[in-house]
Amino acid sequence: MSGLSAALRISRRNARRSKWRSALILAMIGLPVALVSFVLSALFGPGPVPDRQHYPLGQADALVTGAREWTGVTQDAWGNRIAAQPGNDPTPFTPAEIAAALAPGSRIVPFAQADFRYLTPQGYDIGQIRQVDLNDPMSRGTFRLTEGRLPTAPGEAVVSADRLAPDTAPGVTLFVGEKRRPLRVVGVALFDLTGTPPGLVAFPGSLPDAAFGPVHPELMSRGWLVDSPRPVTWADVRRLNARGLVVVSRTVVEAAPPDEAPSRVRVSSLTQSAPWVAIMLLEVVLLAGPAFAMGRLRRSREFALVAVQGGSPAHLRTIALADGLLFGVAASLPGAALGVGAAWLARPLLERRAGYLLGPFAAPWAAVATAAALGVLAGLLAALAPAVAASRTDPVAVLSGRRERGRERAGRPLLGIVLVVAGTAATVASADHELGWIATSALVTQLALVALTPALIAAVARLAARLPLPLRFAARDAVRNRGRTAPAVAAVMTAVVALTAVGVTWQSRLARNPAYAQSHPQAPAGALWIAGTNLTPGLWDRVRSAVREEVPAGVPLVEARTLTSRSGVPVYASVPDSASDVSRVEWSDATESGGLLVGNDDLLRYVLRRDDPQAVAAFHEGKAIVLNPVVVRQGQVRIDVSPAVARGDSAPLTLPAVGIRATGEGWARAVVAPEVAAKNGYGTATAMLMVDPADFRVPRATAERITAKVERISGKAIVRLEAPEAPDDTFLLVVLGIAAAVLVLGMTFVATMLATAEARPDLETMSAVGAAPRVKRAVVAGQALVIALLGSATGVLAGFAPGIAAARQAVPHHAEVFLRPDGVQVTAPADDTSTIAIPWLLVGLLVVALPLLAALGGAVFTRSRLPLPRRRIT
């Protein structure tokens, strides 16, 4: 221990002397540890999202809901898995009845929540509105106000941060429900994720209780928060169940065992992340290795003095390894603390980005300590090769000013070659498995290439015999100092492998996308369409005017409408597409039509893609034109309907129909005239405007102007031009190009500085025999070129296999179902796994541009004046 203590004191003294080198090593080790600690704390610090309650407890002791008619109520501790006989038209309890059922002295606060359709200045929206007094202490902990103030009177509300938009910002008045009750937004808040987070929270009395619908045992749409003078026990819960109440008690919930232990999930996550952590550790070791080697070179005289005074090779090795231990501890501990602290400080920003409140912060100290330990291990591993070199110090050669005889050997590459082949084969075979398997097999290949790097450098030096002097000198200097050059080349190679793999995966995914802007065609080729059921008639008039300003006069605008109730609430119509009536479209398409469009002859021609006299005649007779004749039975079609804001079931709609197939792909399931809708008790509302390409093909520049105008009118409309568009890989090239420039150039410059320092005696000799000043610049440029080019070329070749495997692994092996704006459900086949695209611009940047840039930087930032040889007194 005394020897280690002395070695640490020596390392500390040398660290103070070389402040810039020390800062560089601390950054190389500390920043990855800080990054990993930040990610671990940000992901696992808040804990799992609760999924047991229908309403957050906050500071309340309990919450209750129920009705007089409920019988046989049973529940679990969290108020889930409720069994009850709700009866017909259940009657909610009054506040007095609730207070009488609870312990004497209890205080109750009512709450209610349900989905509503409300009008904003930019159109309609649908979301959950909660009604409760946020100023009451029992609501504390369920929200955090970020802007404005809390509601203090009926008619005021706060909006959730994830629903904040220009048309819901503080100061805007919204109109809720069919009776258009006003709600003025006075603030913005983040809400707890327990249950369903609300879009708006209104002050009590803003909406009548009846607007929230009947009391239901599982929805918990209406109830009371309870502040009890004593804990609400499980016996109290069962007693209240017998009276028709469902109860969620804080005391019961805190005492109940968790549903599932998250340890298995976390162990699985850690197992999947292990190869990525190992790759990062390898990169840190290779990055910091040249810096430790530079320190060993500058301290060679110190090691020689220790050796001549009786220091053994073990002593020299301990002194050099002490550098790794000192820097590892000094970088990892503050790095881990910095990552945890940054995650805690970033919680408000993370919550704003997420749009909801995170759980109580608890740093995963075991994972953070593991990251710090890996940082210390990285420091020791990075200092290992320089420590071995220090133990072989030749004191006579160092103290006399002569170069030490190199002892690096290229070794036998057979084992490395076998591992490269095995790792590459495993990478290709892992394409059908999880991404962690690809990373693990790629890591095996990386380690094999790192082991092969010295032999690769020796092979390159043999090929450089006929190159110009600067390149020939750089290649031979690299092979003569493989202990310094190999880590630098391996570090560049490891970074380039990752960048190439990401580039191949990303480019392949882009290449497999269809030639349309948004995955699949949503309308006839060349059509311009605007969809949005949430726009008011006034907004649609402004949209029409904006479109007519851009298209030639006389070009018709095809209008598609959807069903509404008499009061104007959208009605979702589900048109079957098979004889068995098993296919139902989910209520999530852009028009909320379910495939049933209402319009005139222009719409019929647009949908069928031709003029059809038979269809027009049937259309004018009041029949539905169904594009799948199989679903027409006995001259009729049965359509299921439901309101946008469900408050009960609606009777199906049966219409006389005729089946007519479209030319090509039909762009609806059924078309009816407005008179048919009115005859059956429904209104209509505009849902889409289209410019038929048969009438006019809108140029892209015109479409962009229309899009800009519509976006200024309302953010609730979708504008799209159905025109081929090549995948845009600009973002890919910019991101990967910046990362490549930082990593490759940074590693190359550090290694070049070390090579220049070691080559000083050779440069002195060149100066003595009359070499020109530009020779030094050429030599340094050659050293940078050899390191960058060798690492980049090898890394690109090694990165193809994991990139191709990841590209094939990322392809979904099942068909994807999506909904078009006309409400038709379409099943798209899985992507073709045979499409593999190589990002040649990125490859050119890595193999050509960056090595040349590294050489240019080495030449520019090097003094051209050669050092004069020092006279030595013998």
Side-chain angles (χ1 to χ4, degrees):
M1 292 300 295
S2 60
L4 179 60
S5 176
L8 290 173
R9 288 197 302 271
I10 295 172
S11 297
R12 184 179 59 185
R13 181 191 63 190
N14 282 282
R16 291 176 178 175
R17 287 178 178 176
S18 304
K19 294 183 175 59
W20 287 108
R21 182 182 69 89
S22 301
L24 179 65
I25 297 176
L26 290 174
M28 288 178 178
I29 299 175
L31 289 180
V33 173
L35 177 62
V36 172
S37 301
F38 173 81
V39 172
L40 290 173
S41 300
L43 291 179
F44 300 109
V49 175
D51 188 24
R52 299 177 185 143
Q53 299 164 202
H54 298 287
Y55 190 93
L57 276 171
Q59 299 299 313
D61 295 311
L63 63 89
V64 297
T65 185
R68 297 189 184 97
E69 292 79 9
W70 289 7
T71 59
V73 176
T74 60
Q75 65 169 83
D76 63 7
W78 299 279
N80 292 336
R81 294 190 286 274
I82 302 168
Q85 299 296 327
N88 296 323
D89 193 16
T91 306
F93 288 102
T94 64
E97 291 172 327
I98 294 295
L102 299 171
S106 298
R107 186 172 66 89
I108 60 174
V109 171
F111 73 86
Q113 56 187 5
D115 289 334
F116 288 89
R117 187 172 187 253
Y118 51 89
L119 179 62
T120 75
Q122 292 189 5
Y124 290 98
D125 207 344
I126 295 177
Q128 186 182 88
I129 296 181
R130 180 180 294 174
Q131 187 164 272
V132 70
D133 186 3
L134 295 179
N135 297 281
D136 192 279
M138 281 191 282
S139 295
R140 191 178 304 146
T142 64
F143 72 96
R144 188 178 75 241
L145 190 69
T146 61
E147 184 180 346
R149 62 176 178 84
L150 293 177
T152 57
E156 295 182 343
V158 294
V159 64
S160 174
D162 65 336
R163 300 296 294 268
L164 179 63
D167 58 341
T168 56
V172 173
T173 299
L174 311 175
F175 298 91
V176 181
E178 298 182 15
K179 294 187 177 182
R180 303 286 181 87
R181 295 181 176 88
L183 271 184
R184 182 174 177 81
V185 180
V186 298
V188 182
L190 296 166
F191 290 96
D192 190 354
L193 264 187
T194 303
T196 303
L200 293 162
V201 175
F203 192 81
S206 301
L207 301 174
D209 290 342
F212 293 90
V215 181
H216 193 276
E218 293 184 358
L219 297 180
M220 201 168 286
S221 58
R222 296 162 65 181
W224 296 267
L225 297 173
V226 179
D227 182 10
S228 176
R230 63 176 180 82
V232 179
T233 64
W234 181 248
D236 296 326
V237 172
R238 297 301 299 153
R239 176 178 59 82
L240 294 172
N241 288 161
R243 302 189 60 172
L245 292 170
V246 175
V247 185
V248 179
S249 167
R250 178 183 301 278
T251 302
V252 174
V253 168
E254 292 177 348
D259 284 346
E260 61 178 8
S263 58
R264 181 175 302 176
V265 177
R266 294 195 176 186
V267 168
S268 176
S269 300
L270 291 176
T271 302
Q272 289 295 321
S273 63
W276 305 104
V277 173
I279 291 174
M280 181 177 292
L281 178 66
L282 175 63
E283 186 66 22
V284 171
V285 171
L286 296 174
L287 272 173
F292 281 110
M294 181 179 292
R296 198 274 305 175
L297 177 66
R298 291 182 175 180
R299 297 172 60 190
S300 58
R301 184 173 178 83
E302 176 184 325
F303 287 122
L305 291 175
V306 173
V308 298
Q309 293 182 53
S312 65
H315 290 146
L316 300 179
R317 191 163 48 247
T318 301
I319 294 173
L321 281 175
D323 282 354
L325 179 61
L326 177 69
F327 283 112
V329 174
S332 298
L333 295 183
L338 178 64
V340 174
W344 182 75
L345 293 175
R347 281 175 63 81
L349 178 61
L350 295 175
E351 288 176 336
R352 285 179 177 270
R353 295 288 294 179
Y356 55 84
L357 287 180
L358 299 176
F361 183 77
W365 293 114
V368 171
T370 302
L374 289 175
V376 176
L377 178 62
L380 288 172
L381 292 176
L384 182 60
V388 173
S391 67
R392 298 172 179 173
T393 298
D394 185 352
V396 177
V398 172
L399 295 177
S400 62
R402 294 184 285 108
R403 180 190 296 271
E404 293 183 86
R405 180 173 299 177
R407 298 185 181 182
E408 294 91 349
R409 297 180 180 178
R412 296 183 178 180
L414 180 59
L415 179 60
I417 293 174
V418 171
L419 288 178
V420 166
V421 174
T424 304
T427 302
V428 174
S430 61
D432 295 330
H433 299 80
E434 295 180 348
L435 203 58
W437 289 105
I438 299 176
T440 303
S441 55
L443 177 62
V444 174
T445 307
Q446 284 295 100
L447 294 174
L449 288 174
V450 170
L452 281 176
T453 302
L456 183 63
I457 294 172
V460 171
R462 286 192 293 269
L463 298 176
R466 297 187 179 181
L467 294 177
L469 173 63
L471 293 177
R472 188 166 67 251
F473 176 85
R476 291 179 176 176
D477 178 74
V479 74
R480 184 170 54 183
N481 298 281
R482 283 187 290 264
R484 173 251 300 162
T485 309
V489 173
V492 173
M493 177 185 63
T494 303
V496 171
V497 166
L499 294 173
T500 303
V502 172
V504 171
T505 304
W506 202 338
Q507 190 76 20
S508 299
R509 295 296 297 163
L510 289 176
R512 277 197 292 266
N513 282 341
Y516 287 85
Q518 297 178 12
S519 299
H520 299 277
Q522 304 290 292
L528 173 78
W529 57 268
I530 305 168
T533 55
N534 292 323
L535 274 64
T536 62
L539 292 173
W540 272 119
D541 290 339
R542 295 173 60 189
V543 171
R544 288 189 190 91
S545 299
V547 177
R548 292 192 185 279
E549 290 175 359
E550 298 295 336
V551 300
V555 174
L557 295 184
V558 181
E559 180 175 353
R561 304 176 70 87
T562 56
L563 298 182
T564 67
S565 64
R566 289 292 189 186
S567 59
V569 177
V571 173
Y572 183 70
S574 179
V575 181
D577 65 349
S578 65
S580 59
D581 289 353
V582 296
S583 177
R584 290 291 182 268
V585 181
E586 295 296 331
W587 179 62
S588 59
D589 53 295
T591 59
E592 301 170 7
S593 66
L596 177 65
L597 299 182
V598 183
N600 56 18
D601 293 358
D602 289 337
L603 175 64
L604 184 61
R605 179 169 63 96
Y606 173 87
V607 168
L608 295 178
R609 305 310 303 146
R610 70 178 186 272
D611 291 316
D612 191 318
Q614 179 185 357
V616 172
F619 188 71
H620 289 168
E621 292 175 2
K623 295 182 179 180
I625 307 302
V626 180
L627 275 67
N628 184 3
V630 178
V631 302
V632 178
R633 297 177 177 177
Q634 299 178 353
Q636 293 182 328
V637 63
R638 181 179 181 273
I639 301 172
D640 292 336
V641 295
S642 59
V645 181
R647 292 286 187 269
D649 297 329
S650 299
L653 178 63
T654 302
L655 299 175
V658 59
I660 297 179
R661 297 210 178 263
T663 299
E665 184 174 4
W667 296 100
R669 281 188 175 162
V671 181
V672 298
E675 295 77 14
V676 175
K679 181 180 178 181
N680 287 273
Y682 292 98
T684 60
T686 303
M688 291 182 71
L689 284 180
M690 293 86 72
V691 178
D692 195 330
D695 299 323
F696 176 70
R697 283 187 173 267
V698 180
R700 184 172 296 279
T702 303
E704 291 175 354
R705 291 195 298 270
I706 294 174
T707 301
K709 289 183 177 182
V710 172
E711 287 177 348
R712 287 194 293 269
I713 296 171
S714 175
K716 300 182 183 300
I718 302 172
V719 184
R720 172 166 162 164
L721 177 65
E722 292 295 332
E725 184 174 298
D728 186 8
D729 58 354
T730 304
F731 180 73
L732 163 69
L733 293 176
V734 169
V735 172
L736 295 183
I738 293 175
V742 171
L743 293 174
V744 174
L745 295 181
M747 300 172 195
T748 302
F749 287 154
V750 171
T752 304
M753 290 170 56
L754 177 59
T756 304
E758 283 193 341
R760 182 183 178 92
D762 298 308
L763 297 175
E764 291 175 351
T765 303
M766 292 181 187
S767 177
V769 299
R774 65 177 180 273
V775 172
K776 181 181 179 182
R777 291 184 184 273
V779 168
V780 174
Q783 290 173 326
L785 181 62
V786 168
I787 294 171
L789 182 58
L790 188 57
S792 297
T794 308
V796 166
L797 293 176
F800 284 151
I804 294 173
R808 293 176 63 86
Q809 188 271 341
V811 174
H813 294 280
H814 57 276
E816 181 181 1
V817 178
F818 66 95
L819 293 160
R820 297 192 318 224
D822 54 26
V824 174
Q825 177 177 317
V826 179
T827 301
D831 289 343
D832 183 11
T833 59
S834 62
T835 304
I836 300 296
I838 305 298
W840 293 114
L841 287 178
L842 178 65
V843 172
L845 175 69
L846 293 171
V847 178
V848 179
L850 288 182
L852 292 178
L853 187 60
L856 180 62
V860 170
F861 294 104
T862 299
R863 292 183 301 173
S864 61
R865 193 172 185 84
L866 288 168
L868 294 175
R870 293 176 297 177
R871 298 181 61 185
R872 299 183 178 89
I873 301 176
T874 58

